[in-house]
Amino acid sequence: MAKKIHSGSGQTSPPSAGSVQASSSATASSVSRDSAEHYRWGVDCDGWHLVKDTELSVIEEFMPPGAAEIRHYHERSQQFFYILTGEVLMEINGENKLIAAGSGVRILPGTSHQIRNPSSGPVRFLVVSQPPSHDDRVDQ
């Protein structure tokens, strides 16, 4: 069963100097699945590039029931997987972890991992990679 995700407390703190400098009108536009670059992967899986630049990648992904990614690792990229809906089984260095909606897991460079959807329902999740991981993948 998917948990409802609530937004934060509503309180905001002032941005740090670094975040102010990083903000510009070119990077401050909103993005959604409707406006993001879409791609297909695996069997019936979808991805949307919400952020795609040389330093950071943020992708929303969709996996139907029974789908799985190929086990792999990244030599330079670290990743953070955050489950939006459903739950996934993440194999990390041979150990299986069940990750439910509202939870995430960090994968460091060199760490073998594979995400699977063993459930009867689809899952949606975010994959944040720094630096971007698409050219940094070693399949096992």
Side-chain angles (χ1 to χ4, degrees):
M1 176 179 210
K3 297 178 186 174
K4 185 172 182 180
I5 300 171
H6 297 280
S7 61
S9 66
Q11 297 177 342
T12 59
S13 56
S16 67
S19 65
V20 170
Q21 291 174 349
S23 296
S24 73
S25 61
T27 60
S29 61
S30 66
V31 64
S32 70
R33 284 191 312 270
D34 292 334
S35 63
E37 177 187 336
H38 174 260
Y39 67 97
R40 300 279 291 179
W41 63 273
V43 178
D44 296 328
C45 297
D46 292 282
W48 294 268
H49 287 280
L50 303 176
V51 175
K52 184 179 183 183
D53 68 32
T54 59
E55 298 299 319
L56 178 67
S57 169
V58 179
I59 299 171
E60 181 175 341
E61 295 197 349
F62 168 87
M63 288 180 77
E69 187 177 30
I70 297 170
R71 183 178 298 107
H72 64 280
Y73 66 92
H74 302 278
E75 293 180 334
R76 295 176 306 281
S77 300
Q78 66 174 319
Q79 295 186 303
F80 183 74
F81 290 78
Y82 186 80
I83 311 309
L84 298 170
T85 62
E87 62 184 19
V88 299
L89 191 61
M90 179 72 81
E91 180 187 319
I92 304 169
N93 284 334
E95 182 181 331
N96 288 319
K97 297 179 185 280
L98 191 62
I99 305 169
S103 300
V105 63
R106 182 179 180 190
I107 307 291
L108 294 174
T111 304
S112 174
H113 59 282
Q114 178 185 31
I115 190 167
R116 296 189 297 263
N117 178 4
S119 72
S120 60
V123 296
R124 285 192 178 275
F125 55 96
L126 295 177
V127 183
V128 179
S129 303
Q130 188 275 325
S133 62
H134 278 95
D135 296 328
D136 182 38
R137 177 182 166 126
V138 179
D139 290 344
Q140 298 178 306

